[in-house]
Amino acid sequence: MKKIFRDKKLTIAPLSAKDLKCAREYTDFINDLITEGAKLLMNKKQTLKEEQGWVINVVKKVKNKEKVFLIARDGKKVVGNVSFESMTFRKNHIARMGIAIRQGYRGNGLGKYLMSEIMKLAKKQLKVKPKIFQLEVYENNKPAIALYKKMGFKIVGKVPKQIQYGGKLIGEYIMIKEVK
Ligand SMILES: CC(C)(COP(=O)(O)OP(=O)(O)OC[C@H]1O[C@@H](n2cnc3c(N)ncnc32)[C@H](O)[C@@H]1OP(=O)(O)O)[C@@H](O)C(=O)NCCC(=O)NCCS
């Protein structure tokens, strides 16, 4: 599907086996976020081989309906992704979210759009219907926390000293949204 965010016409599509050919574009995307110091878990640049392994793993999970995944592209360039993955066993009613938008594409409503689409997809496609949407976020990640609150997530707890960032140990908020 094509959609315009400010002046940029982006293509938004679910990840599929075709994307196994696009590992180079994912490598550029993740490495751009890592170079920037984005407030994500990962902090080590990925090689093409590592990224290929990651794509294979995600494609498998999507096929098994354990994960839903959307990618936004500007031409071939990957500019955003969002996903929900079911947790396992006694926690499989919980689906955990991840989102990242590339620098230069933020603040145009893409994050909001991807979140609303992925929540619909998670309800429709995950093998185990989620009852709780959940995520973790650095306590100092203001744009992300504002986005999540706007999308109906609530902070339910804070776990201290979870993340090594800028020479400090940063706490993380746990945020949830009950799925109706
Ligand atoms: C967090 C992130 C996904 C937001 O995506 P985005 O496309 O910029 O967000 P949107 O343009 O859809 O904005 C949605 C809402 O988020 C909030 N927001 C976005 N940017 C903000 C900023 N710089 N400061 C404060 N709030 C901000 C606003 O409430 C905004 O709603 P509004 O436009 O109605 O005011 C994006 O900044 C990002 O990928 N950051 C780097 C990676 C990251 O931190 N991921 C989250 C890890 S938990």
Side-chain angles (χ1 to χ4, degrees), residues 66 85-89 91-96 128 134:
E66 294 157 20
E85 181 169 333
S86 296
M87 293 179 81
T88 53
F89 301 107
K91 285 195 174 186
N92 68 7
H93 63 293
I94 301 170
R96 287 174 74 210
V128 181
Q134 187 163 320

Side-chain angles (χ1 to χ4, degrees), residues 8-122:
K8 294 184 171 111
K9 197 191 225 177
L10 306 182
T11 313
I12 292 151
L15 177 123
S16 72
K18 276 192 298 196
D19 292 296
L20 293 170
K21 288 196 206 111
C22 306
R24 189 168 297 281
E25 284 80 25
Y26 289 109
T27 313
D28 287 349
F29 173 65
I30 187 68
N31 288 346
D32 194 55
L33 287 160
I34 288 167
T35 306
E36 173 206 347
K39 291 173 175 168
L40 303 168
L41 173 65
M42 250 171 141
N43 62 353
K44 187 182 147 284
K45 280 199 182 182
Q46 295 298 287
T47 62
L48 180 58
K49 207 158 178 212
E50 285 167 332
E51 201 60 13
Q52 279 163 340
W54 175 82
V55 178
I56 289 169
N57 190 29
V58 176
V59 167
K60 211 186 290 168
K61 285 182 176 172
V62 169
K63 235 180 171 173
N64 290 342
K65 299 189 181 299
E66 294 157 20
K67 190 167 186 128
V68 284
F69 199 104
L70 284 174
I71 306 148
R73 288 190 173 87
D74 183 356
K76 282 196 168 171
K77 186 174 171 188
V78 175
V79 300
N81 68 18
V82 65
S83 64
F84 268 111
E85 181 169 333
S86 296
M87 293 179 81
T88 53
F89 301 107
R90 292 187 197 273
K91 285 195 174 186
N92 68 7
H93 63 293
I94 301 170
R96 287 174 74 210
M97 201 197 78
I99 186 167
I101 311 292
R102 200 166 184 147
Q103 288 182 96
Y105 292 83
R106 296 178 191 153
N108 299 332
L110 179 59
K112 242 185 318 196
Y113 180 75
L114 288 182
M115 271 191 83
S116 66
E117 289 301 303
I118 201 75
M119 286 195 277
K120 286 189 241 165
L121 216 57

